[in-house]
Amino acid sequence: MTKLGAITIGQAPRKDVTPILEDHLPPRVELVQAGVLDGLTKDYIDAHLLPDREAYTLTSRLSDGSSIVMGRSKIQPILQKKIYDMELEGIQNILLLCTGVFPGLHAKNAYLIEPDHIIPPAVKAMVGGRRLGVIVPLEEQKTSLKPKYEPHGLYPEFAVASPYILDPESFQAAANELKDKVDLILLDCMGYTEKARSLVAEASGLPVILSNAIMAKIVSEMI
C-alpha cells in the first residue's frame, strides 16, 4: 500500500475535499491526513494566528465545519513541521491541500506536491488565448493572488465567494460578475466542492475548473 500524505491548513480530516481525491486515487493508495490547526481551539487561533495588517491572508475549515482566517506567516512554521512529521512516519508523497503560495516550503526527502506550482501552468494550457476568471474565498485575495498567475501570462478577472459558506446567491453573484468578462472560470481554493462548481457553471454558462479535482487527477498519475 502506497501512502499519500494530505496536509490541510485547517483541521483534518477534510470530509468535504478528500472524497474528491479518493474518487481519483488508485485503490493501492492510502490517504493519510493532517491539519495545521489540529488540536487548536478557535480562541487560540484567534489569539495567535490571525493575519497582521496587510498580511497574506488564507482561509480554511475547522473540524466543526466553520471557517477561519489566518496569516500565512503565522501558520507556515506549523505547516513546515507537519511536513517533517509526515516524513518521519515514512510518507514519501505529500500533497498540500491549499492553493496558496508558501515561499520556501520544502521536504527533506519526500516529494512535496504544492498546488500553486501546478495549477497556474495547467490552467494556462487549458485557457490558451481565452479570458480567465478566478473565484477566490476572500476579498483581499483578489490582489494577493495576482502574482501567482502573472508569471504564466495570466491576468484574471476576480470575484469572491466563500467555499465554507455554501450560499447559492454568493456563487451566483460571483458568476454573474464574471460571465460577460471571461471565457472560463477557475475556483481557486481546495475547499470548493462539486456543488460550488455546479452553481457557478449553471449561473455563468461557462466551463468551470475545480482546483481539487485537477490536483486529484494529476496526483493519481504521479504516485
Side-chain angles (χ1 to χ4, degrees), residues 6-223:
I7 304 178
T8 174
I9 61 168
Q11 291 179 335
R14 285 297 299 269
K15 296 178 180 179
D16 54 335
V17 173
T18 51
I20 297 172
L21 292 174
E22 290 169 338
D23 280 348
H24 293 281
L25 292 174
R28 61 179 176 79
V29 176
E30 176 188 355
L31 195 63
V32 180
Q33 298 188 56
V36 167
L37 304 182
D38 287 354
L40 302 181
T41 65
K42 190 174 186 304
D43 287 343
Y44 179 91
I45 296 165
D46 288 342
H48 299 281
L49 301 179
L50 294 184
D52 297 324
R53 188 176 180 182
E54 298 182 3
Y56 188 103
T57 303
L58 298 157
T59 185
S60 192
R61 183 181 186 272
L62 301 182
S63 55
D64 64 3
S66 63
S67 62
I68 196 76
V69 172
M70 302 154 286
R72 178 178 65 185
S73 62
K74 304 290 184 66
I75 67 166
Q76 183 153 338
I78 308 171
L79 174 57
Q80 185 62 73
K81 184 177 184 302
K82 295 288 182 177
I83 293 169
Y84 291 157
D85 289 345
M86 279 199 167
E87 288 189 292
L88 288 173
E89 293 177 32
I91 297 173
Q92 292 300 307
N93 297 280
I94 301 172
L95 170 64
L96 178 59
L97 290 180
C98 178
T99 61
V101 179
F102 292 88
L105 199 67
H106 64 282
K108 293 177 180 177
N109 300 300
Y111 181 42
L112 179 62
I113 307 165
E114 298 180 72
D116 76 286
H117 294 180
I118 296 172
I119 292 174
V123 169
K124 173 60 178 176
M126 297 169 72
V127 171
R130 295 180 294 172
R131 301 167 298 171
L132 175 65
V134 176
I135 295 179
V136 293
L138 302 171
E139 184 69 29
E140 51 266 46
Q141 291 176 324
K142 291 165 72 173
T143 299
S144 66
L145 291 184
K146 286 182 179 180
K148 182 169 75 171
Y149 293 98
E150 290 173 355
H152 303 279
L154 293 169
Y155 303 90
E157 296 284 343
F158 286 90
V160 177
S162 172
Y164 304 116
I165 305 170
L166 196 59
D167 172 20
E169 291 186 0
S170 69
F171 283 96
Q172 290 160 359
N176 288 331
E177 182 180 344
L178 293 174
K179 68 180 183 180
D180 295 326
K181 303 176 184 177
V182 306
D183 304 299
L184 184 147
I185 297 173
L186 169 69
L187 300 181
D188 189 2
C189 177
M190 294 293 273
Y192 291 114
T193 62
E194 179 58 35
K195 176 64 174 176
R197 193 203 67 77
S198 297
L199 287 168
V200 174
E202 182 177 352
S204 67
L206 297 173
V208 179
I209 304 169
L210 194 57
S211 290
N212 50 40
I214 286 183
M215 291 308 304
K217 292 170 185 176
I218 291 173
V219 170
S220 70
E221 301 293 331
M222 294 169 64
I223 61 172

